[in-house]
Amino acid sequence: MIEAKEFSERRNRLQEEIKELGLDAFLISQPESIYYYTGATYKPQERPFLITIWPQRDPTFLVPKLEKDHIHKANIGDVKSYWEFPSPPGEGWPEKLDEILQGVKTLGIEQGISLENQSCLKVKKLKPLDIVNRQRHIKTPAEIKMIRQSASYADKLMAMMLKNAYYGVSVLEMFGLGRKIQMEVIKSGEFDPLNCEFLSATWPSRFSHMPHGVPPLDGKLTNGPLAFMSYLRVNGYASENERTVFLTKPTEREKDVFNHMRAARQKAFDIIKPGVPCAEVDKAALGYLRKQGYGEFLLHRTGHGIGQGNHEGPWVADGSEHILEENMVISVEPGIYIPDLGGFRHSDTVLVTKDGYEVLTKGSTEIEDLTLLKPKFMKRIIGRLIQKALNIA
Amino acid sequence: MIEAKEFSERRNRLQEEIKELGLDAFLISQPESIYYYTGATYKPQERPFLITIWPQRDPTFLVPKLEKDHIHKANIGDVKSYWEFPSPPGEGWPEKLDEILQGVKTLGIEQGISLENQSCLKVKKLKPLDIVNRQRHIKTPAEIKMIRQSASYADKLMAMMLKNAYYGVSVLEMFGLGRKIQMEVIKSGEFDPLNCEFLSATWPSRFSHMPHGVPPLDGKLTNGPLAFMSYLRVNGYASENERTVFLTKPTEREKDVFNHMRAARQKAFDIIKPGVPCAEVDKAALGYLRKQGYGEFLLHRTGHGIGQGNHEGPWVADGSEHILEENMVISVEPGIYIPDLGGFRHSDTVLVTKDGYEVLTKGSTEIEDLTLLKPKFMKRIIGRLIQKALNIA
């Protein structure tokens, strides 16, 4: 887990930026940012948590009264509270924050704040700034350790999915596997339910060309290409590992599309290193696919940043202004989606290193290793029982 | 499930309001609102879904290209798409939306929109309005049916928790019970993983006075008062049922606090009916507790609205401007939290009826029924095995 010292170092770095920008204060309002600077998790509902970062003194943390007693884990000395949402006059967060911000003329705010909450701020000069997201782009050694651990769980879950798959397996059987990894994380002794997610999802071939559609749980996996996704958040840190899988022998056409998908990935990997614009990585991968005639079968960019969030900057997309730097973590996942055939996409969690990159999720990307033809009698029998119990046999 | 016809009726009602307000168009941008008006679920990340409601013609739905193929379930005729987030110039959502909004001079927007997204809107006159939330406050018959079903699952889960509890049971064993209800919902044939949540949580007495702290999963439930929470979202519709439980004989002081908590609930129930301000309900319950000397042990309001969200308006709180109306659904849950003793709170999901109210979650609120002293040998043996496997025995 991340130590208290690191959270205060993170806040210090933000403080330095605020000094340089000449702000009187900066307001942290987004749940992921609250976690980034304190380690405190909560269910973001209508009661905001707010941290004021000052250029010259310790931060002030404003939370609902309900949360005050357990927020000691945030390790911020000055915790103030407001009554409720809503509150009688003088007791709500806008008034309490106004007291805290007395004398502040220029206040930096996060761009993710809602219009509703922003309209409650009484400071005259508000400056929406992207500095928190930019700080989060570069991962610290402790964060890389957390993402590495998350990625190793993602690999285990993918291996488990490949091991349990057979011709005719239900989507539901695969969906249940995430729980086994969850139990392993619980056993490890560190598990914050508000900060963990274990998703093992599969798409049958007639759905795999719609990578964001929700496949029916009683659907079955038969002919490929099938999409297998291991998508985790382990105590705050995300990772993803996806593979295109076959449960029957792939046709020549399927092999062909598969190979082009892998080649597009390679085009991205070939240029990933610090100093390269993210837009160039996207153009390398998707440009290759367009040149090969797959332009009409592209549905999304090459990748995105991974950290506390499963999706965050830097965006590996045409139109992105981000430049790769050492210790950024991104996904690499160009995909081809053909309506009458299916979707073809591998995704990996990738660390940008000093000279290039390191793939944190392991496991084969080869079609031979992802074509699973073995009979697996026991899995079939157990699966059949599960399917019968659920009336989907 | 909610039928397509109802979604279009909901949009029609919004359209009527827009006409009355004289707006050129209204922009729906919040994930819960998208679901409310279409039935479409998605994982809200950086790629927005946006519905433009027009006073005189059918709505326009703008989604990322990635989602377009499966969004037919939204049953909106005119679906347009943008490329990605971010996009090369001309291909992103702000430009595509700008094309859709050509000629719009006054645009209503939701207050929940982020400052970042709002700043991308090029229409000159933006009117932040609360009309979507207000429409959602009053539940339709189909919604009440969904909430009633959700509440019956919440009751089953609570009954399961009470049945499985014994002196020394781990928090983890209780946490696992939510899955059984999940399987039951899956078996029923309707289950949208993006729209379901099954949380069975318990707080040991030394944590029960911090109702929003996350209790350690290896914690054990021993002396009361213990907080048992069954908190669900079943295919989009929420419910909650909470009880204060004892696994040893409660002391006279505990009984006394418990009875005051129940009396405060009754004060709220005594006045719940259409036309009563929500603030009055809160004052009735918490005012009673203050008069009894528990003022310093209050941490939160009496309740909140329940519907698609586990927490939504109307707010049953002092300072709330909401007035109870027939077919609103709220929680009633005044609580007393004493640091050296623990927390005392029951919570129920309550429908406001024409003349009063109906409690949708059932199950006893009596201390005799919530004091569980029976030995339960088999539960203990199984629990012991689970705890041993997890090294928490």
Side-chain angles (χ1 to χ4, degrees):
Chain A
M1 298 291 266
I2 309 288
E3 287 174 24
K5 189 166 154 277
E6 170 148 342
F7 292 117
S8 73
E9 283 166 6
R10 291 179 187 178
R11 296 194 297 264
N12 291 347
R13 273 199 290 281
L14 184 57
Q15 191 180 37
E16 287 308 311
E17 278 224 50
I18 288 161
K19 276 184 211 167
E20 277 171 37
L21 290 165
L23 300 173
D24 295 324
F26 184 86
L27 188 70
I28 300 170
S29 58
Q30 299 306 287
E32 283 196 351
S33 309
I34 299 285
Y35 178 72
Y36 183 76
Y37 290 109
T38 68
T41 53
Y42 62 106
K43 218 177 146 97
Q45 305 245 26
E46 67 284 358
R47 302 179 184 106
F49 281 45
L50 298 160
I51 301 173
T52 306
I53 300 283
W54 304 99
Q56 307 290 354
R57 55 189 158 107
D58 282 347
T60 314
F61 197 6
L62 180 64
V63 299
K65 192 180 175 201
L66 185 60
E67 316 269 1
K68 201 183 173 192
D69 265 3
H70 67 90
I71 217 64
H72 59 85
K73 65 182 167 189
N75 291 295
I76 291 191
D78 191 12
V79 181
K80 296 188 186 303
S81 68
Y82 62 91
W83 166 236
E84 248 296 9
F85 180 87
S87 283
E91 301 292 317
W93 72 262
E95 301 101 308
K96 295 289 177 189
L97 183 67
D98 201 41
E99 284 169 23
I100 291 168
L101 296 179
Q102 278 306 312
V104 168
K105 290 197 181 70
T106 309
L107 178 70
I109 56 174
E110 288 190 272
Q111 296 172 312
I113 194 171
S114 72
L115 186 59
E116 185 170 15
N117 285 356
Q118 180 244 306
S119 71
C120 293
L121 303 177
K122 284 171 197 133
V123 174
K124 273 196 190 150
K125 214 167 155 190
L126 297 176
K127 278 204 170 180
L129 293 166
D130 196 31
I131 52 182
V132 170
N133 286 335
R134 277 194 288 113
Q135 184 177 341
R136 281 177 49 190
H137 284 184
I138 311 292
K139 271 64 185 178
T140 65
E143 285 187 291
I144 292 169
K145 202 175 153 195
M146 293 290 287
I147 297 172
R148 208 180 272 284
Q149 190 191 41
S150 178
S152 79
Y153 282 119
D155 283 344
K156 274 192 189 176
L157 182 52
M158 177 56 71
M160 214 182 265
M161 291 168 81
L162 295 174
K163 200 180 147 196
N164 282 278
Y166 58 88
Y167 187 94
V169 68
S170 65
V171 169
L172 180 64
E173 284 162 75
M174 292 287 139
F175 182 71
L177 294 173
R179 292 179 186 165
K180 296 203 176 175
I181 296 294
Q182 183 181 1
M183 282 312 287
E184 204 175 309
V185 173
I186 288 173
K187 275 191 202 178
S188 78
E190 284 174 349
F191 176 71
D192 176 353
L194 293 181
N195 225 353
C196 287
E197 191 182 1
F198 304 88
L199 184 61
S200 51
T202 50
W203 283 257
S205 52
R206 73 190 168 98
F207 288 92
S208 64
H209 75 279
M210 296 188 290
H212 275 215
V214 176
L217 286 173
D218 57 357
K220 304 236 177 110
L221 305 181
T222 53
N223 297 335
L226 309 159
F228 279 38
M229 181 167 91
S230 165
Y231 193 80
L232 305 188
R233 202 173 184 206
V234 181
N235 289 315
Y237 283 90
S239 61
E240 61 179 72
N241 182 1
E242 295 167 20
R243 292 292 181 259
T244 296
V245 176
F246 296 86
L247 297 178
T248 47
K249 211 169 165 254
T251 63
E252 287 309 308
R253 185 175 179 217
E254 285 165 349
K255 277 186 200 167
D256 198 45
V257 185
F258 186 97
N259 287 334
H260 280 124
M261 176 271 285
R262 281 189 75 217
R265 282 162 56 84
Q266 197 52 50
K267 293 287 175 196
F269 283 127
D270 285 348
I271 63 166
I272 290 177
K273 67 176 181 184
V276 174
C278 288
E280 292 306 316
V281 178
D282 188 55
K283 283 176 194 164
L286 300 197
Y288 167 82
L289 291 176
R290 287 193 181 100
K291 218 187 292 175
Q292 299 297 325
Y294 291 106
E296 61 175 313
F297 303 125
L298 305 181
L299 285 181
H300 59 75
R301 67 198 169 203
T302 297
H304 51 77
I306 298 179
Q308 274 186 208
N310 288 85
H311 280 207
E312 60 180 42
W315 307 111
V316 187
D318 189 5
S320 167
E321 289 169 2
H322 298 141
I323 310 282
L324 290 179
E325 291 181 57
E326 188 179 355
N327 296 332
M328 283 181 166
V329 178
I330 57 172
S331 72
V332 173
E333 48 175 319
I336 306 169
Y337 305 93
I338 305 179
D340 61 354
L341 194 66
F344 296 76
R345 178 181 72 198
H346 291 344
S347 180
D348 283 293
T349 302
V350 177
L351 172 68
V352 180
T353 59
K354 199 178 156 200
D355 306 313
Y357 64 92
E358 180 192 343
V359 182
L360 301 182
T361 38
K362 319 283 181 191
S364 175
T365 61
E366 308 275 348
I367 200 162
E368 292 75 21
D369 298 319
L370 297 166
T371 302
L372 311 165
L373 303 176
K374 288 205 192 125
K376 302 185 184 180
F377 291 114
M378 277 313 290
K379 303 275 175 221
R380 273 170 206 272
I381 291 163
I382 294 166
R384 201 72 186 166
L385 290 172
I386 294 172
Q387 292 172 23
K388 264 211 137 156
L390 295 175
N391 303 320
I392 59 173
Chain B
M1 298 292 264
I2 309 287
E3 284 173 27
K5 189 166 154 276
E6 170 147 343
F7 292 117
S8 74
E9 283 166 4
R10 292 178 188 179
R11 296 194 296 264
N12 291 347
R13 274 200 290 280
L14 184 57
Q15 192 180 34
E16 288 309 310
E17 279 224 49
I18 289 161
K19 275 185 212 167
E20 278 172 36
L21 290 165
L23 300 172
D24 295 324
F26 184 86
L27 187 70
I28 301 170
S29 58
Q30 301 304 287
E32 282 194 353
S33 309
I34 299 286
Y35 178 72
Y36 183 76
Y37 289 110
T38 67
T41 55
Y42 62 105
K43 217 175 146 98
Q45 304 245 23
E46 67 284 357
R47 301 179 185 107
F49 281 44
L50 298 160
I51 300 173
T52 306
I53 301 282
W54 304 100
Q56 307 291 353
R57 54 190 160 107
D58 281 346
T60 314
F61 197 5
L62 180 64
V63 300
K65 192 180 173 200
L66 184 60
E67 317 267 1
K68 199 183 173 190
D69 265 3
H70 66 89
I71 218 66
H72 59 85
K73 67 181 166 187
N75 290 295
I76 291 190
D78 191 12
V79 180
K80 295 187 186 303
S81 69
Y82 62 91
W83 167 237
E84 249 295 9
F85 180 87
S87 282
E91 300 293 317
W93 72 262
E95 301 102 308
K96 295 288 178 191
L97 183 67
D98 200 39
E99 283 169 23
I100 292 169
L101 296 179
Q102 278 306 312
V104 168
K105 291 197 178 70
T106 308
L107 179 70
I109 56 174
E110 289 190 271
Q111 296 174 312
I113 194 171
S114 72
L115 185 59
E116 185 169 14
N117 285 357
Q118 181 244 307
S119 70
C120 294
L121 303 177
K122 284 171 196 135
V123 175
K124 273 196 188 147
K125 215 168 155 189
L126 296 176
K127 277 205 171 179
L129 293 166
D130 197 30
I131 52 182
V132 170
N133 287 334
R134 275 194 289 112
Q135 185 177 342
R136 282 176 49 190
H137 284 184
I138 311 290
K139 271 65 185 177
T140 65
E143 285 188 291
I144 292 168
K145 201 175 152 195
M146 292 292 288
I147 298 172
R148 209 179 271 283
Q149 190 190 42
S150 179
S152 79
Y153 282 120
D155 282 345
K156 274 193 190 176
L157 182 52
M158 178 56 73
M160 213 183 266
M161 292 169 81
L162 294 174
K163 199 180 147 198
N164 282 279
Y166 58 89
Y167 187 94
V169 67
S170 65
V171 169
L172 179 64
E173 284 162 76
M174 292 289 142
F175 183 71
L177 294 174
R179 291 179 187 166
K180 297 202 178 178
I181 296 294
Q182 184 181 0
M183 281 312 287
E184 204 174 310
V185 173
I186 289 173
K187 274 191 205 179
S188 79
E190 284 174 352
F191 175 71
D192 177 353
L194 293 181
N195 225 352
C196 288
E197 191 182 3
F198 306 89
L199 184 61
S200 52
T202 50
W203 283 256
S205 51
R206 73 189 169 98
F207 289 94
S208 64
H209 74 280
M210 296 188 291
H212 275 215
V214 176
L217 286 174
D218 57 355
K220 304 234 177 111
L221 305 180
T222 54
N223 298 333
L226 308 160
F228 278 37
M229 181 167 92
S230 165
Y231 193 80
L232 304 189
R233 201 173 183 206
V234 181
N235 289 315
Y237 284 89
S239 61
E240 62 179 72
N241 182 2
E242 296 167 20
R243 292 291 181 259
T244 297
V245 176
F246 295 86
L247 298 177
T248 48
K249 211 168 165 255
T251 63
E252 287 309 309
R253 185 177 180 217
E254 285 166 349
K255 277 187 201 167
D256 199 45
V257 185
F258 186 97
N259 288 335
H260 280 125
M261 175 271 284
R262 281 190 72 216
R265 282 163 56 82
Q266 197 52 52
K267 293 285 174 197
F269 283 127
D270 286 348
I271 63 167
I272 290 177
K273 67 175 181 182
V276 175
C278 287
E280 293 306 315
V281 178
D282 187 55
K283 283 175 192 164
L286 300 198
Y288 167 83
L289 291 176
R290 287 192 181 100
K291 218 187 290 176
Q292 300 297 324
Y294 290 106
E296 62 176 309
F297 303 124
L298 304 181
L299 284 181
H300 59 75
R301 66 199 171 203
T302 297
H304 51 78
I306 298 180
Q308 272 186 210
N310 288 86
H311 280 207
E312 61 181 41
W315 306 112
V316 187
D318 190 5
S320 168
E321 288 169 4
H322 298 141
I323 310 281
L324 291 179
E325 290 182 56
E326 189 180 353
N327 296 333
M328 284 181 167
V329 178
I330 57 172
S331 72
V332 173
E333 48 174 319
I336 306 169
Y337 305 92
I338 306 180
D340 59 355
L341 192 66
F344 296 76
R345 179 181 72 198
H346 290 346
S347 180
D348 282 294
T349 302
V350 177
L351 171 68
V352 180
T353 60
K354 199 178 157 199
D355 306 312
Y357 65 92
E358 181 193 342
V359 182
L360 301 182
T361 38
K362 319 285 180 187
S364 174
T365 62
E366 308 274 348
I367 200 162
E368 293 76 19
D369 298 319
L370 297 166
T371 302
L372 311 166
L373 303 176
K374 289 205 191 125
K376 303 187 184 179
F377 292 113
M378 276 314 291
K379 303 277 174 221
R380 273 171 207 273
I381 291 164
I382 294 166
R384 202 73 185 166
L385 289 172
I386 294 172
Q387 293 171 24
K388 265 212 139 158
L390 295 174
N391 302 320
I392 59 173

